[in-house]
Amino acid sequence: MSAPPSAPASAAALPADSLLELRELTRRFARARDWEQFHTPKNLAMALSVEVAELAEHFQWLATGADAELDAPAREGIRQELADVLLYLVQLADQCQVDLRQAALEKIALNGEKYPAEVVRGDARKSDRY
Amino acid sequence: MSAPPSAPASAAALPADSLLELRELTRRFARARDWEQFHTPKNLAMALSVEVAELAEHFQWLATGADAELDAPAREGIRQELADVLLYLVQLADQCQVDLRQAALEKIALNGEKYPAEVVRGDARKSDRY
Amino acid sequence: MSAPPSAPASAAALPADSLLELRELTRRFARARDWEQFHTPKNLAMALSVEVAELAEHFQWLATGADAELDAPAREGIRQELADVLLYLVQLADQCQVDLRQAALEKIALNGEKYPAEVVRGDARKSDRY
Amino acid sequence: MSAPPSAPASAAALPADSLLELRELTRRFARARDWEQFHTPKNLAMALSVEVAELAEHFQWLATGADAELDAPAREGIRQELADVLLYLVQLADQCQVDLRQAALEKIALNGEKYPAEVVRGDARKSDRY
Protein backbone atom coordinates (compact mmCIF):
# COMPACT_ATOMS: atom_id res chain seq x y z
CA MET A 1 0.00 0.00 0.00
CA SER A 2 1.37 3.39 -0.94
CA ALA A 3 1.82 6.32 1.44
CA PRO A 4 -1.31 8.36 1.99
CA PRO A 5 -1.43 11.52 -0.18
CA SER A 6 -1.69 13.66 2.93
CA ALA A 7 1.79 12.72 4.21
CA PRO A 8 3.62 16.03 4.90
CA ALA A 9 6.79 16.76 2.92
CA SER A 10 8.84 16.79 6.14
CA ALA A 11 7.98 13.17 6.75
CA ALA A 12 9.69 12.06 3.53
CA ALA A 13 12.54 9.64 3.99
CA LEU A 14 15.93 11.23 4.63
CA PRO A 15 19.13 10.31 2.77
CA ALA A 16 21.25 7.75 4.63
CA ASP A 17 24.52 9.66 4.28
CA SER A 18 25.06 12.19 7.06
CA LEU A 19 26.04 15.16 4.87
CA LEU A 20 23.09 14.64 2.52
CA GLU A 21 20.76 14.10 5.46
CA LEU A 22 21.84 17.37 7.10
CA ARG A 23 21.51 19.20 3.78
CA GLU A 24 17.93 18.01 3.47
CA LEU A 25 17.12 18.89 7.08
CA THR A 26 18.54 22.41 6.82
CA ARG A 27 16.59 22.95 3.60
CA ARG A 28 13.36 22.00 5.35
CA PHE A 29 14.22 24.17 8.35
CA ALA A 30 14.85 27.29 6.27
CA ARG A 31 11.85 26.67 4.03
CA ALA A 32 9.47 26.28 6.99
CA ARG A 33 10.61 29.67 8.34
CA ASP A 34 10.81 31.47 5.00
CA TRP A 35 14.46 32.17 5.81
CA GLU A 36 15.76 31.26 2.36
CA GLN A 37 15.66 34.97 1.49
CA PHE A 38 18.38 35.69 4.10
CA HIS A 39 20.53 32.73 3.12
CA THR A 40 22.60 34.31 0.39
CA PRO A 41 26.08 32.78 0.09
CA LYS A 42 27.55 36.00 1.46
CA ASN A 43 25.33 36.06 4.56
CA LEU A 44 25.92 32.36 5.20
CA ALA A 45 29.69 32.87 4.93
CA MET A 46 29.43 35.64 7.50
CA ALA A 47 27.23 33.54 9.81
CA LEU A 48 29.70 30.68 9.46
CA SER A 49 32.59 32.85 10.59
CA VAL A 50 30.57 34.07 13.57
CA GLU A 51 29.87 30.50 14.67
CA VAL A 52 33.51 29.52 14.24
CA ALA A 53 34.49 32.40 16.52
CA GLU A 54 31.98 31.28 19.15
CA LEU A 55 33.67 27.89 18.96
CA ALA A 56 37.17 29.39 19.18
CA GLU A 57 36.12 31.46 22.17
CA HIS A 58 36.03 28.33 24.32
CA PHE A 59 39.73 27.75 23.64
CA GLN A 60 41.20 31.25 23.63
CA TRP A 61 42.70 31.39 27.11
CA LEU A 62 43.45 27.67 27.46
CA ALA A 63 46.84 26.10 26.92
CA THR A 64 45.66 23.54 24.35
CA GLY A 65 41.95 22.94 24.91
CA ALA A 66 42.61 19.30 25.77
CA ASP A 67 39.97 17.45 27.76
CA ALA A 68 41.53 18.02 31.18
CA GLU A 69 41.33 21.80 30.67
CA LEU A 70 37.60 21.80 29.90
CA ASP A 71 34.71 21.67 32.35
CA ALA A 72 31.32 20.20 31.49
CA PRO A 73 29.63 23.49 30.39
CA ALA A 74 32.58 24.22 28.08
CA ARG A 75 32.37 20.75 26.57
CA GLU A 76 28.65 21.10 25.96
CA GLY A 77 29.19 24.57 24.46
CA ILE A 78 31.87 23.23 22.14
CA ARG A 79 29.62 20.40 21.03
CA GLN A 80 26.83 22.82 20.14
CA GLU A 81 29.14 25.24 18.34
CA LEU A 82 30.67 22.40 16.30
CA ALA A 83 27.13 21.54 15.25
CA ASP A 84 26.35 25.16 14.32
CA VAL A 85 29.47 25.38 12.19
CA LEU A 86 28.58 22.19 10.35
CA LEU A 87 25.00 23.33 9.76
CA TYR A 88 26.03 26.65 8.25
CA LEU A 89 28.75 24.96 6.23
CA VAL A 90 26.25 22.51 4.78
CA GLN A 91 23.90 25.37 3.87
CA LEU A 92 26.62 27.46 2.29
CA ALA A 93 27.87 24.52 0.21
CA ASP A 94 24.27 23.87 -0.82
CA GLN A 95 23.81 27.46 -1.99
CA CYS A 96 27.09 27.23 -3.91
CA GLN A 97 26.12 23.88 -5.47
CA VAL A 98 29.21 22.23 -4.00
CA ASP A 99 29.18 18.52 -3.11
CA LEU A 100 31.00 18.75 0.23
CA ARG A 101 32.12 15.12 0.38
CA GLN A 102 33.46 15.16 -3.16
CA ALA A 103 35.23 18.49 -2.63
CA ALA A 104 36.80 17.24 0.63
CA LEU A 105 38.03 14.02 -0.99
CA GLU A 106 39.64 16.02 -3.80
CA LYS A 107 41.22 18.41 -1.30
CA ILE A 108 42.75 15.52 0.65
CA ALA A 109 44.28 14.21 -2.58
CA LEU A 110 45.57 17.70 -3.43
CA ASN A 111 47.03 18.16 0.05
CA GLY A 112 48.71 14.79 -0.28
CA GLU A 113 50.65 16.09 -3.30
CA LYS A 114 51.32 19.48 -1.70
CA TYR A 115 52.62 18.04 1.56
CA PRO A 116 54.35 14.73 0.76
CA ALA A 117 54.60 12.74 4.00
CA GLU A 118 58.31 12.07 3.60
CA VAL A 119 59.10 15.78 3.16
CA VAL A 120 56.94 17.47 5.80
CA ARG A 121 57.00 14.85 8.55
CA GLY A 122 56.82 16.59 11.94
CA ASP A 123 56.95 20.06 10.39
CA ALA A 124 53.84 22.25 10.33
CA ARG A 125 55.22 25.12 8.28
CA LYS A 126 53.13 26.21 5.34
CA SER A 127 53.94 24.55 2.05
CA ASP A 128 54.88 27.85 0.42
CA ARG A 129 57.84 28.11 2.73
CA TYR A 130 59.48 25.05 1.17
CA MET B 1 40.52 -16.01 1.15
CA SER B 2 41.41 -13.34 3.69
CA ALA B 3 43.44 -10.20 2.95
CA PRO B 4 47.21 -10.72 2.92
CA PRO B 5 48.90 -9.71 6.21
CA SER B 6 51.07 -7.21 4.37
CA ALA B 7 48.11 -5.03 3.32
CA PRO B 8 48.99 -1.44 4.38
CA ALA B 9 46.79 0.24 6.96
CA SER B 10 45.80 2.90 4.44
CA ALA B 11 44.21 0.26 2.28
CA ALA B 12 41.74 -0.73 5.00
CA ALA B 13 38.11 -0.26 4.06
CA LEU B 14 36.69 3.20 4.73
CA PRO B 15 33.38 3.83 6.51
CA ALA B 16 30.47 4.32 4.12
CA ASP B 17 29.15 7.46 5.78
CA SER B 18 30.82 10.64 4.53
CA LEU B 19 31.58 12.22 7.92
CA LEU B 20 33.09 8.99 9.28
CA GLU B 21 35.00 8.44 6.04
CA LEU B 22 36.52 11.93 6.21
CA ARG B 23 37.37 11.46 9.88
CA GLU B 24 39.27 8.29 9.05
CA LEU B 25 41.05 9.91 6.08
CA THR B 26 42.15 12.96 8.09
CA ARG B 27 43.43 10.67 10.85
CA ARG B 28 45.56 8.77 8.35
CA PHE B 29 46.79 12.01 6.79
CA ALA B 30 47.94 13.51 10.10
CA ARG B 31 49.45 10.24 11.31
CA ALA B 32 51.50 9.77 8.13
CA ARG B 33 53.00 13.26 8.60
CA ASP B 34 53.43 13.09 12.37
CA TRP B 35 51.23 16.21 12.54
CA GLU B 36 49.10 14.93 15.44
CA GLN B 37 51.38 16.88 17.80
CA PHE B 38 50.22 20.19 16.25
CA HIS B 39 46.55 19.23 16.20
CA THR B 40 45.53 20.36 19.65
CA PRO B 41 41.88 21.45 19.84
CA LYS B 42 43.03 25.04 20.26
CA ASN B 43 45.26 25.01 17.19
CA LEU B 44 42.59 23.30 15.10
CA ALA B 45 40.01 25.89 16.20
CA MET B 46 42.39 28.62 15.09
CA ALA B 47 43.11 26.90 11.76
CA LEU B 48 39.38 26.48 11.23
CA SER B 49 38.77 30.19 11.66
CA VAL B 50 41.57 31.00 9.23
CA GLU B 51 40.01 28.73 6.58
CA VAL B 52 36.58 30.23 7.13
CA ALA B 53 38.03 33.69 6.57
CA GLU B 54 39.65 32.53 3.32
CA LEU B 55 36.21 31.34 2.28
CA ALA B 56 34.55 34.60 3.34
CA GLU B 57 37.14 36.59 1.43
CA HIS B 58 35.60 35.46 -1.86
CA PHE B 59 32.32 37.12 -0.89
CA GLN B 60 33.41 40.27 0.90
CA TRP B 61 32.95 42.85 -1.85
CA LEU B 62 30.11 41.10 -3.67
CA ALA B 63 26.44 42.00 -3.32
CA THR B 64 25.30 38.49 -2.37
CA GLY B 65 27.82 36.00 -3.75
CA ALA B 66 25.17 34.46 -5.99
CA ASP B 67 26.35 32.47 -8.98
CA ALA B 68 26.10 35.32 -11.48
CA GLU B 69 28.55 37.40 -9.43
CA LEU B 70 31.24 34.70 -9.37
CA ASP B 71 33.74 33.87 -12.06
CA ALA B 72 35.25 30.40 -12.54
CA PRO B 73 38.40 30.96 -10.41
CA ALA B 74 36.26 32.29 -7.55
CA ARG B 75 33.97 29.28 -7.77
CA GLU B 76 36.90 26.87 -7.71
CA GLY B 77 38.44 28.78 -4.78
CA ILE B 78 35.17 28.61 -2.86
CA ARG B 79 34.90 24.89 -3.49
CA GLN B 80 38.38 24.29 -2.11
CA GLU B 81 37.87 26.51 0.92
CA LEU B 82 34.58 24.78 1.74
CA ALA B 83 36.53 21.52 1.70
CA ASP B 84 39.25 22.94 3.97
CA VAL B 85 36.67 24.12 6.47
CA LEU B 86 35.03 20.72 6.56
CA LEU B 87 38.35 18.92 6.97
CA TYR B 88 39.42 21.04 9.94
CA LEU B 89 35.95 20.80 11.45
CA VAL B 90 36.06 17.01 11.24
CA GLN B 91 39.48 16.96 12.88
CA LEU B 92 38.48 19.34 15.66
CA ALA B 93 35.32 17.34 16.43
CA ASP B 94 37.47 14.20 16.44
CA GLN B 95 39.89 15.70 18.97
CA CYS B 96 36.93 16.78 21.12
CA GLN B 97 35.28 13.34 20.88
CA VAL B 98 32.17 14.87 19.38
CA ASP B 99 29.99 12.87 16.97
CA LEU B 100 29.32 15.63 14.42
CA ARG B 101 26.20 14.07 12.89
CA GLN B 102 24.61 13.41 16.26
CA ALA B 103 25.48 16.90 17.55
CA ALA B 104 24.04 18.50 14.40
CA LEU B 105 20.80 16.53 14.62
CA GLU B 106 20.37 17.58 18.24
CA LYS B 107 21.10 21.21 17.35
CA ILE B 108 18.46 21.18 14.63
CA ALA B 109 15.93 19.91 17.17
CA LEU B 110 17.02 22.58 19.66
CA ASN B 111 16.81 25.32 17.02
CA GLY B 112 13.34 24.09 16.11
CA GLU B 113 12.19 24.85 19.69
CA LYS B 114 14.11 28.12 19.87
CA TYR B 115 12.75 29.45 16.57
CA PRO B 116 9.22 28.09 16.13
CA ALA B 117 8.30 28.36 12.47
CA GLU B 118 5.01 30.11 13.13
CA VAL B 119 6.71 32.80 15.26
CA VAL B 120 9.84 33.66 13.30
CA ARG B 121 8.59 33.22 9.74
CA GLY B 122 10.40 35.69 7.47
CA ASP B 123 12.25 37.31 10.37
CA ALA B 124 15.97 36.71 10.84
CA ARG B 125 16.42 38.53 14.13
CA LYS B 126 18.14 36.61 16.87
CA SER B 127 15.94 34.63 19.19
CA ASP B 128 17.04 36.65 22.21
CA ARG B 129 15.34 39.70 20.78
CA TYR B 130 11.94 38.07 21.07
CA MET C 1 56.61 71.78 43.47
CA SER C 2 57.11 68.28 42.14
CA ALA C 3 54.64 65.39 42.50
CA PRO C 4 54.83 63.62 45.87
CA PRO C 5 56.88 60.39 45.73
CA SER C 6 53.86 58.39 46.91
CA ALA C 7 51.83 59.11 43.75
CA PRO C 8 50.66 55.70 42.43
CA ALA C 9 51.87 54.61 38.99
CA SER C 10 48.30 54.59 37.69
CA ALA C 11 48.03 58.30 38.35
CA ALA C 12 50.95 59.07 36.05
CA ALA C 13 50.15 61.32 33.12
CA LEU C 14 48.90 59.52 30.00
CA PRO C 15 50.36 60.05 26.53
CA ALA C 16 48.43 62.59 24.49
CA ASP C 17 48.17 60.43 21.36
CA SER C 18 45.17 58.09 21.41
CA LEU C 19 46.99 54.90 20.39
CA LEU C 20 49.75 55.45 22.94
CA GLU C 21 47.23 56.39 25.59
CA LEU C 22 45.24 53.18 25.00
CA ARG C 23 48.42 51.13 25.04
CA GLU C 24 49.32 52.54 28.42
CA LEU C 25 45.79 52.01 29.79
CA THR C 26 45.61 48.37 28.62
CA ARG C 27 49.04 47.71 30.17
CA ARG C 28 47.82 49.04 33.51
CA PHE C 29 44.58 47.06 33.24
CA ALA C 30 46.33 43.74 32.61
CA ARG C 31 49.01 44.39 35.22
CA ALA C 32 46.45 45.18 37.92
CA ARG C 33 44.72 41.84 37.25
CA ASP C 34 47.86 39.77 36.75
CA TRP C 35 46.48 38.89 33.30
CA GLU C 36 49.77 39.41 31.49
CA GLN C 37 50.39 35.65 31.76
CA PHE C 38 47.39 34.96 29.48
CA HIS C 39 48.28 37.67 26.98
CA THR C 40 50.57 35.73 24.70
CA PRO C 41 50.49 36.99 21.11
CA LYS C 42 48.69 33.80 20.09
CA ASN C 43 45.95 34.14 22.70
CA LEU C 44 45.48 37.83 21.92
CA ALA C 45 45.20 37.05 18.19
CA MET C 46 42.51 34.51 19.01
CA ALA C 47 40.67 36.92 21.32
CA LEU C 48 40.88 39.57 18.61
CA SER C 49 39.20 37.30 16.07
CA VAL C 50 36.45 36.47 18.56
CA GLU C 51 35.72 40.16 19.12
CA VAL C 52 35.69 40.85 15.38
CA ALA C 53 33.12 38.10 14.94
CA GLU C 54 30.93 39.61 17.67
CA LEU C 55 31.12 42.84 15.72
CA ALA C 56 30.34 41.12 12.40
CA GLU C 57 27.36 39.36 13.99
CA HIS C 58 25.48 42.66 14.12
CA PHE C 59 25.69 42.92 10.33
CA GLN C 60 25.26 39.36 9.15
CA TRP C 61 21.61 39.38 8.12
CA LEU C 62 21.41 43.05 7.13
CA ALA C 63 21.57 44.35 3.59
CA THR C 64 24.45 46.76 4.22
CA GLY C 65 24.47 47.67 7.92
CA ALA C 66 23.75 51.32 7.10
CA ASP C 67 22.29 53.48 9.84
CA ALA C 68 18.66 53.07 8.79
CA GLU C 69 18.92 49.29 9.22
CA LEU C 70 20.20 49.48 12.80
CA ASP C 71 18.18 50.01 15.96
CA ALA C 72 19.60 51.65 19.10
CA PRO C 73 20.69 48.42 20.88
CA ALA C 74 22.53 47.28 17.72
CA ARG C 75 24.28 50.64 17.44
CA GLU C 76 25.37 50.50 21.08
CA GLY C 77 26.54 46.90 20.63
CA ILE C 78 28.56 47.85 17.55
CA ARG C 79 30.15 50.73 19.41
CA GLN C 80 31.26 48.45 22.23
CA GLU C 81 32.54 45.74 19.92
CA LEU C 82 34.55 48.29 17.90
CA ALA C 83 36.14 49.31 21.20
CA ASP C 84 36.91 45.69 22.13
CA VAL C 85 38.57 45.08 18.78
CA LEU C 86 40.73 48.17 19.16
CA LEU C 87 41.72 47.25 22.72
CA TYR C 88 42.85 43.74 21.76
CA LEU C 89 44.59 45.08 18.67
CA VAL C 90 46.54 47.58 20.75
CA GLN C 91 47.56 44.83 23.18
CA LEU C 92 48.61 42.42 20.44
CA ALA C 93 50.69 45.09 18.71
CA ASP C 94 52.24 45.91 22.07
CA GLN C 95 53.22 42.27 22.67
CA CYS C 96 54.69 42.13 19.14
CA GLN C 97 56.60 45.40 19.62
CA VAL C 98 54.83 46.95 16.65
CA ASP C 99 54.21 50.70 16.50
CA LEU C 100 50.65 50.62 15.16
CA ARG C 101 50.60 54.17 13.80
CA GLN C 102 53.89 53.75 11.99
CA ALA C 103 52.90 50.35 10.58
CA ALA C 104 49.57 51.75 9.35
CA LEU C 105 51.20 54.75 7.67
CA GLU C 106 53.64 52.43 5.87
CA LYS C 107 50.77 50.14 4.82
CA ILE C 108 48.83 53.06 3.33
CA ALA C 109 51.90 54.00 1.30
CA LEU C 110 52.32 50.38 0.18
CA ASN C 111 48.64 50.10 -0.76
CA GLY C 112 48.97 53.31 -2.75
CA GLU C 113 51.59 51.65 -4.96
CA LYS C 114 49.70 48.36 -5.15
CA TYR C 115 46.39 49.96 -6.11
CA PRO C 116 47.16 53.07 -8.19
CA ALA C 117 44.08 55.29 -8.15
CA GLU C 118 44.00 55.68 -11.94
CA VAL C 119 44.04 51.90 -12.47
CA VAL C 120 41.63 50.59 -9.85
CA ARG C 121 39.08 53.41 -9.75
CA GLY C 122 35.64 51.95 -8.98
CA ASP C 123 36.91 48.37 -9.03
CA ALA C 124 37.26 46.42 -5.79
CA ARG C 125 38.91 43.30 -7.20
CA LYS C 126 42.04 42.17 -5.44
CA SER C 127 45.28 43.49 -6.82
CA ASP C 128 46.53 40.01 -7.69
CA ARG C 129 43.85 39.73 -10.32
CA TYR C 130 45.36 42.57 -12.38
CA MET D 1 49.98 85.04 2.93
CA SER D 2 47.24 82.42 2.55
CA ALA D 3 47.67 79.05 0.80
CA PRO D 4 47.36 79.19 -2.98
CA PRO D 5 43.88 78.17 -4.20
CA SER D 6 45.41 75.39 -6.28
CA ALA D 7 46.66 73.45 -3.25
CA PRO D 8 45.29 69.89 -3.63
CA ALA D 9 42.96 68.56 -0.94
CA SER D 10 45.42 65.79 -0.16
CA ALA D 11 48.00 68.34 0.90
CA ALA D 12 45.77 69.66 3.66
CA ALA D 13 47.23 69.36 7.14
CA LEU D 14 46.51 66.06 8.90
CA PRO D 15 45.15 65.80 12.46
CA ALA D 16 47.88 65.33 15.05
CA ASP D 17 46.19 62.42 16.83
CA SER D 18 46.99 59.04 15.26
CA LEU D 19 43.42 57.69 15.07
CA LEU D 20 42.10 60.90 13.52
CA GLU D 21 45.07 61.06 11.15
CA LEU D 22 44.43 57.49 9.95
CA ARG D 23 40.73 58.20 9.56
CA GLU D 24 41.52 61.15 7.33
CA LEU D 25 44.08 59.18 5.30
CA THR D 26 41.72 56.23 4.71
CA ARG D 27 38.98 58.64 3.64
CA ARG D 28 41.30 60.18 1.05
CA PHE D 29 42.44 56.76 -0.12
CA ALA D 30 38.91 55.45 -0.70
CA ARG D 31 37.73 58.71 -2.27
CA ALA D 32 40.63 58.79 -4.76
CA ARG D 33 39.72 55.26 -5.92
CA ASP D 34 35.94 55.70 -5.84
CA TRP D 35 35.84 52.76 -3.41
CA GLU D 36 33.37 54.39 -1.02
CA GLN D 37 30.58 52.49 -2.79
CA PHE D 38 32.05 49.16 -1.59
CA HIS D 39 32.67 50.35 1.94
CA THR D 40 29.33 49.56 3.52
CA PRO D 41 29.58 48.74 7.23
CA LYS D 42 28.75 45.13 6.42
CA ASN D 43 31.48 44.75 3.80
CA LEU D 44 34.04 46.47 6.03
CA ALA D 45 33.13 44.17 8.93
CA MET D 46 33.70 41.20 6.64
CA ALA D 47 37.00 42.60 5.35
CA LEU D 48 38.06 43.23 8.94
CA SER D 49 37.47 39.61 9.91
CA VAL D 50 39.44 38.43 6.88
CA GLU D 51 42.42 40.58 7.88
CA VAL D 52 42.25 39.38 11.48
CA ALA D 53 42.38 35.79 10.23
CA GLU D 54 45.44 36.57 8.10
CA LEU D 55 47.02 37.91 11.27
CA ALA D 56 45.97 34.86 13.32
CA GLU D 57 47.37 32.57 10.64
CA HIS D 58 50.91 33.53 11.65
CA PHE D 59 50.29 32.18 15.16
CA GLN D 60 48.15 29.10 14.55
CA TRP D 61 50.78 26.36 14.86
CA LEU D 62 53.07 28.15 17.30
CA ALA D 63 53.17 27.53 21.03
CA THR D 64 52.61 31.16 22.01
CA GLY D 65 53.80 33.36 19.15
CA ALA D 66 56.49 34.89 21.35
CA ASP D 67 59.41 36.56 19.67
CA ALA D 68 61.73 33.57 19.78
CA GLU D 69 59.23 31.49 17.79
CA LEU D 70 58.97 33.99 14.93
CA ASP D 71 61.37 34.44 12.03
CA ALA D 72 61.87 37.75 10.21
CA PRO D 73 59.28 37.13 7.42
CA ALA D 74 56.66 36.18 10.02
CA ARG D 75 57.41 39.32 12.01
CA GLU D 76 57.11 41.51 8.93
CA GLY D 77 53.88 39.74 7.95
CA ILE D 78 52.42 40.28 11.41
CA ARG D 79 53.35 43.95 11.30
CA GLN D 80 51.56 44.42 7.98
CA GLU D 81 48.47 42.49 9.08
CA LEU D 82 48.24 44.51 12.30
CA ALA D 83 48.23 47.60 10.10
CA ASP D 84 45.52 46.18 7.82
CA VAL D 85 43.31 45.37 10.80
CA LEU D 86 43.69 48.88 12.17
CA LEU D 87 42.95 50.48 8.79
CA TYR D 88 39.72 48.52 8.30
CA LEU D 89 38.74 49.13 11.91
CA VAL D 90 39.19 52.87 11.48
CA GLN D 91 37.09 52.81 8.32
CA LEU D 92 34.32 50.74 9.86
CA ALA D 93 34.14 53.02 12.91
CA ASP D 94 34.05 55.98 10.55
CA GLN D 95 31.10 54.54 8.62
CA CYS D 96 29.31 53.83 11.91
CA GLN D 97 30.02 57.35 13.24
CA VAL D 98 31.84 55.92 16.23
CA ASP D 99 34.65 57.86 17.89
CA LEU D 100 37.07 54.98 18.44
CA ARG D 101 39.12 56.61 21.19
CA GLN D 102 36.06 57.66 23.16
CA ALA D 103 34.43 54.23 22.76
CA ALA D 104 37.64 52.49 23.89
CA LEU D 105 38.00 54.70 26.96
CA GLU D 106 34.39 53.98 27.94
CA LYS D 107 34.94 50.25 27.40
CA ILE D 108 37.99 50.24 29.64
CA ALA D 109 35.93 51.90 32.38
CA LEU D 110 33.12 49.35 31.85
CA ASN D 111 35.58 46.44 31.94
CA GLY D 112 37.04 47.83 35.14
CA GLU D 113 33.63 47.46 36.81
CA LYS D 114 32.94 44.07 35.21
CA TYR D 115 36.29 42.60 36.20
CA PRO D 116 37.33 44.17 39.54
CA ALA D 117 41.07 43.65 39.97
CA GLU D 118 40.74 42.20 43.47
CA VAL D 119 38.20 39.58 42.30
CA VAL D 120 39.65 38.36 39.00
CA ARG D 121 43.38 38.59 39.72
CA GLY D 122 45.19 35.83 37.85
CA ASP D 123 41.94 34.33 36.54
CA ALA D 124 41.00 34.70 32.87
CA ARG D 125 37.54 33.14 33.02
CA LYS D 126 34.75 35.16 31.50
CA SER D 127 32.89 37.48 33.82
CA ASP D 128 29.59 35.68 33.27
CA ARG D 129 31.02 32.66 35.05
CA TYR D 130 31.29 34.59 38.30
Side-chain angles (χ1 to χ4, degrees):
Chain A
M1 202 181 99
S2 66
S6 60
S10 64
L14 288 166
D17 184 77
S18 56
L19 285 175
L20 299 180
E21 175 192 29
L22 294 173
R23 187 178 68 181
E24 177 57 27
L25 287 170
T26 55
R27 283 180 183 174
R28 291 181 190 177
F29 194 94
R31 202 182 303 129
R33 283 154 188 79
D34 196 15
W35 279 1
E36 290 147 316
Q37 58 183 314
F38 304 114
H39 289 185
T40 64
K42 181 170 178 160
N43 286 2
L44 288 169
M46 212 161 174
L48 179 62
S49 57
V50 169
E51 295 301 336
V52 166
E54 291 179 4
L55 177 55
E57 195 176 1
H58 289 286
F59 299 106
Q60 66 186 338
W61 304 120
L62 303 180
T64 68
D67 245 34
E69 298 173 280
L70 297 165
D71 54 16
R75 257 196 297 270
E76 178 53 27
I78 289 165
R79 181 184 166 82
Q80 290 204 19
E81 300 300 348
L82 284 166
D84 281 333
V85 173
L86 180 57
L87 293 173
Y88 276 122
L89 180 64
V90 163
Q91 290 177 87
L92 177 53
D94 194 15
Q95 292 297 323
C96 296
Q97 279 100 49
V98 167
D99 178 327
L100 268 182
R101 175 180 171 270
Q102 196 51 46
L105 291 178
E106 286 168 23
K107 198 64 200 320
I108 290 175
L110 217 63
N111 285 344
E113 291 168 34
K114 210 170 150 191
Y115 307 96
E118 61 281 2
V119 177
V120 301
R121 188 163 289 125
D123 186 338
R125 281 175 301 174
K126 282 197 67 177
S127 63
D128 56 10
R129 292 286 195 89
Y130 286 95
Chain B
M1 204 181 102
S2 66
S6 60
S10 64
L14 289 166
D17 183 77
S18 55
L19 285 174
L20 299 179
E21 174 192 29
L22 294 173
R23 187 178 69 181
E24 177 57 26
L25 287 170
T26 55
R27 283 180 183 175
R28 292 182 190 177
F29 195 94
R31 202 183 303 131
R33 282 155 189 80
D34 196 16
W35 279 2
E36 289 147 317
Q37 58 183 311
F38 304 114
H39 289 184
T40 64
K42 181 170 178 160
N43 286 2
L44 288 170
M46 211 162 174
L48 179 63
S49 58
V50 169
E51 295 302 334
V52 166
E54 290 179 5
L55 176 55
E57 194 175 2
H58 289 285
F59 299 106
Q60 68 186 337
W61 304 120
L62 303 180
T64 68
D67 245 34
E69 298 173 282
L70 297 165
D71 55 15
R75 256 195 298 269
E76 178 52 27
I78 288 165
R79 181 184 167 82
Q80 290 204 19
E81 301 299 349
L82 284 166
D84 281 334
V85 173
L86 180 57
L87 292 172
Y88 276 122
L89 180 64
V90 164
Q91 291 176 87
L92 177 53
D94 194 14
Q95 292 297 323
C96 297
Q97 279 101 49
V98 168
D99 177 327
L100 268 182
R101 175 179 171 272
Q102 195 52 43
L105 291 178
E106 286 168 24
K107 199 65 198 321
I108 290 175
L110 218 64
N111 285 344
E113 291 166 35
K114 208 169 152 192
Y115 307 96
E118 60 280 6
V119 177
V120 301
R121 189 164 288 124
D123 186 339
R125 282 174 301 173
K126 283 197 66 178
S127 63
D128 56 9
R129 292 289 195 87
Y130 287 96
Chain C
M1 201 182 103
S2 66
S6 59
S10 65
L14 289 166
D17 184 77
S18 55
L19 286 175
L20 300 178
E21 174 192 29
L22 294 173
R23 187 179 68 180
E24 177 56 26
L25 287 170
T26 56
R27 283 180 183 176
R28 292 181 191 178
F29 195 94
R31 202 182 303 132
R33 283 155 188 80
D34 196 17
W35 279 1
E36 290 146 316
Q37 57 184 314
F38 303 113
H39 289 185
T40 64
K42 180 170 178 161
N43 286 1
L44 288 169
M46 211 161 174
L48 180 62
S49 58
V50 169
E51 294 302 334
V52 166
E54 291 179 4
L55 177 54
E57 195 175 1
H58 289 286
F59 299 107
Q60 67 187 338
W61 304 121
L62 303 180
T64 68
D67 245 33
E69 298 173 279
L70 297 165
D71 54 15
R75 256 196 298 271
E76 178 53 27
I78 288 166
R79 181 184 168 81
Q80 290 204 19
E81 300 299 349
L82 285 165
D84 280 334
V85 173
L86 180 57
L87 292 173
Y88 276 121
L89 180 65
V90 164
Q91 291 177 87
L92 177 53
D94 194 14
Q95 292 297 324
C96 297
Q97 279 100 50
V98 167
D99 178 326
L100 268 183
R101 175 180 171 270
Q102 195 52 44
L105 291 178
E106 286 168 23
K107 199 65 200 321
I108 290 175
L110 217 64
N111 285 345
E113 290 167 34
K114 209 170 151 192
Y115 307 96
E118 58 281 3
V119 178
V120 301
R121 187 163 290 125
D123 186 338
R125 282 174 300 173
K126 283 198 66 178
S127 62
D128 57 9
R129 293 286 195 88
Y130 287 96
Chain D
M1 200 182 104
S2 66
S6 59
S10 64
L14 288 166
D17 183 77
S18 55
L19 286 175
L20 299 179
E21 174 193 30
L22 295 173
R23 187 178 70 180
E24 177 57 26
L25 287 171
T26 55
R27 283 180 182 175
R28 291 182 190 176
F29 195 93
R31 203 183 302 131
R33 282 155 188 80
D34 197 15
W35 280 1
E36 290 146 316
Q37 58 184 312
F38 304 112
H39 289 185
T40 64
K42 180 171 178 160
N43 286 2
L44 288 170
M46 211 161 174
L48 179 62
S49 57
V50 169
E51 295 301 335
V52 166
E54 290 179 5
L55 176 55
E57 194 175 1
H58 289 286
F59 299 106
Q60 67 187 337
W61 305 121
L62 303 179
T64 68
D67 245 32
E69 298 174 281
L70 297 165
D71 55 14
R75 256 196 298 270
E76 179 52 28
I78 288 165
R79 183 185 166 81
Q80 289 203 21
E81 301 299 349
L82 285 166
D84 280 334
V85 173
L86 181 57
L87 292 172
Y88 276 121
L89 180 64
V90 164
Q91 290 176 86
L92 178 52
D94 194 14
Q95 292 297 322
C96 297
Q97 279 101 50
V98 167
D99 177 326
L100 268 182
R101 175 179 171 272
Q102 196 52 45
L105 291 177
E106 286 168 23
K107 199 66 199 320
I108 290 175
L110 218 63
N111 285 344
E113 290 167 35
K114 209 169 150 191
Y115 306 96
E118 58 283 3
V119 177
V120 301
R121 187 163 290 124
D123 186 339
R125 283 174 300 173
K126 283 196 67 178
S127 62
D128 55 10
R129 293 285 195 90
Y130 287 96

